[in-house]
Amino acid sequence: DKGQHQHFMAKEIHEQPMVVARAFGAWTSNDRSRIASPAETIDWRSVPRLTIVACGTAHLAGHVAKIWLERIARLPVEIEIASEFRYREPPLPTGGVTLVISQSGETADTLGALRYARAAGQTTLGLVNVTTSTIAREADLALATHAGPEIGVASTKAFTAQLMGLAAFSVMVARERGAIDADGERDAIETLSRVPRLMAETIAQEDRFAALAREIATATSALFLGRGLMYPIALEGALKLKEITYIHAEGYAAGEIKHGPIALVDEATPVIALLPSGDLLEKSLSNIREVAARKGRVAVIGDAEARAELGDEAWRSVAMPRCDPLIQPFAYAVAIQLLAYHAAVARGTDVDQPRNLAKSVTVE
Ligand code: F6R
């Protein structure tokens, strides 16, 4: 049932504050002092490396998690696309852990990757939304995302619920490795508790995203740029846009565009810049200024600081709430979802059932 919404995707975007609140509750103790996880039983101090494997949007959630785990837990992490990983058959470290991420828990390549990692002696974790799925059964430990059933083919709430599970997981691993103390854990939990409201504040900007989306909807090509935690969100923005609008879109690390992609910049190509404030803002601004100087149509999605810096160098800009860097991916994920959704509505595509795509990819 779509409720008052025109599409399941819209309903699922709007459900996200509730979904992430539920996921947050599932991962935290009642007094909010401690992350609880079945993966606590692993001796994380002796784990040399975590390998994360997934496909599509789930892979991009894993990419965000890599950055969190490296930063908070100081754990070495590799992130892999399942279809490459499983056939490359890479050597895996003794005592290593492999985490596969899958909404459906049935994606053939991700399942193949899980089986390869198990056979190679890794401890395996499966973060799944469908808890009765094959991946949930075959992983040594199954972790649930708690998103509820996702109907829209383009993943939205499953992605942000994966992010909540992965953020909690990162904090737990940091604690187990001694990278944070009890106060640090409590602070991180307090920050994560603000995610539902942060996402609701972003959804409250929907009209602004819809207005920008209508302008992007006439483009034949679009670029998404971001650094650090915004790099995987830029990739997800491009994936979401191409998936449901059929506009050609690419995501790039902002610092990489001068190595080639800047040749694509012209007056017809929207360049969506994800610019939260933080350590990387100055670096990103200089990349974005290079685009603006070449008459690129820069659409800034950022908080007050970035928007003030760019002024009229930006073609369009949409305000984002300011928040702790740890939780920026949740807010910017909502932003790119709303952008893709409204661009698809403007183009009149079949939002919930995009051409050539299936909800669960059980072929290799
Ligand atoms: C994109 C999307 C896909 C899936 C991918 C993996 O919106 O939904 O990229 O994320 O096919 O599916 P799961 O998570 O079921 O393994």
Side-chain angles (χ1 to χ4, degrees):
D1 178 21
K2 289 182 265 203
Q4 88 254 36
H5 297 285
Q6 205 186 334
H7 300 100
F8 281 107
M9 186 180 179
K11 172 175 176 263
E12 289 164 356
I13 289 173
H14 282 256
E15 266 171 15
Q16 290 178 109
M18 182 268 287
V19 165
V20 295
R22 181 167 65 206
F24 171 79
W27 295 116
T28 45
S29 61
N30 288 339
D31 66 356
R32 294 193 172 179
S33 67
R34 196 171 187 285
I35 301 289
S37 169
E40 286 176 58
T41 52
I42 293 169
D43 174 14
W44 286 100
R45 278 185 191 269
S46 69
V47 172
R49 194 178 87 198
L50 176 70
T51 306
I52 305 180
V53 191
C55 302
T57 290
H59 171 257
L60 296 173
H63 191 153
V64 173
K66 169 186 166 73
I67 299 171
W68 279 333
L69 284 157
E70 289 173 348
R71 192 176 293 173
I72 309 168
R74 304 302 300 159
L75 176 69
V77 179
E78 292 280 343
I79 170 79
E80 293 260 7
I81 292 166
S83 58
E84 287 295 317
F85 173 84
R86 64 180 294 204
Y87 295 114
R88 213 173 69 246
E89 304 189 342
L92 297 171
T94 305
V97 176
T98 294
L99 166 66
V100 300
I101 307 170
S102 176
Q103 187 285 127
S104 62
E106 302 295 345
T107 300
D109 283 324
T110 310
L111 180 59
L114 170 66
R115 288 175 176 162
Y116 171 75
R118 280 201 78 175
Q122 303 289 288
T123 300
T124 56
L125 304 175
L127 177 63
V128 295
N129 196 38
V130 180
T131 51
T132 53
S133 59
T134 311
I135 288 175
R137 281 198 310 275
E138 292 198 14
D140 294 323
L141 292 170
L143 312 175
T145 42
H146 305 283
E150 188 178 63
I151 310 295
V153 164
S155 187
T156 54
K157 65 174 181 170
F159 176 66
T160 51
Q162 283 162 355
L163 290 182
M164 181 56 86
L166 292 164
F169 176 78
S170 303
V171 173
M172 180 278 291
V173 173
R175 176 191 74 216
E176 295 295 313
R177 288 172 67 82
I180 56 170
D181 62 11
D183 282 347
E185 182 169 12
R186 228 182 308 256
D187 287 350
I189 292 172
E190 210 277 311
T191 303
L192 289 179
S193 76
R194 287 184 240 137
V195 166
R197 201 175 66 204
L198 175 66
M199 294 176 87
E201 284 168 12
T202 309
I203 292 171
Q205 300 291 323
E206 180 157 13
D207 290 349
R208 305 255 163 81
F209 289 111
L212 176 59
R214 283 190 288 274
E215 298 193 88
I216 289 173
T218 55
T220 50
S221 187
L223 300 178
F224 286 77
L225 303 182
R227 267 183 188 261
L229 286 164
M230 291 300 111
Y231 172 37
I233 302 300
L235 295 174
E236 172 65 0
L239 177 60
K240 223 73 312 167
L241 191 74
K242 71 184 102 173
E243 209 174 7
I244 60 171
T245 69
Y246 318 141
I247 296 171
H248 170 244
E250 300 294 338
Y252 287 102
E256 188 64 12
I257 67 153
K258 55 182 169 294
H259 301 291
I262 200 160
L264 295 172
V265 168
D266 62 20
E267 287 171 51
T269 307
V271 178
I272 296 117
L274 307 179
L275 290 178
S277 51
D279 297 348
L280 298 173
L281 180 61
E282 281 307 319
K283 295 282 172 211
S284 299
L285 283 171
S286 76
N287 305 136
I288 300 309
R289 290 195 168 109
E290 289 169 33
V291 172
R294 286 162 183 80
K295 297 196 164 46
R297 288 205 291 170
V298 177
V300 174
I301 299 180
D303 55 36
E305 200 180 331
R307 296 169 73 239
E309 285 276 351
L310 278 171
D312 42 336
E313 285 171 271
W315 165 64
R316 296 289 180 267
S317 103
V318 181
M320 292 291 288
R322 210 186 145 90
C323 63
D324 188 289
L326 174 75
I327 57 175
Q328 284 164 350
F330 294 94
Y332 286 75
V334 171
I336 58 90
Q337 291 166 358
L338 287 171
L339 206 57
Y341 173 74
H342 286 286
V345 170
R347 285 170 74 96
T349 55
D350 189 346
V351 173
D352 286 332
Q353 294 280 328
R355 69 185 183 201
N356 312 341
L357 296 174
K359 185 69 189 157
S360 182
V361 184
T362 51
V363 291
E364 301 182 350

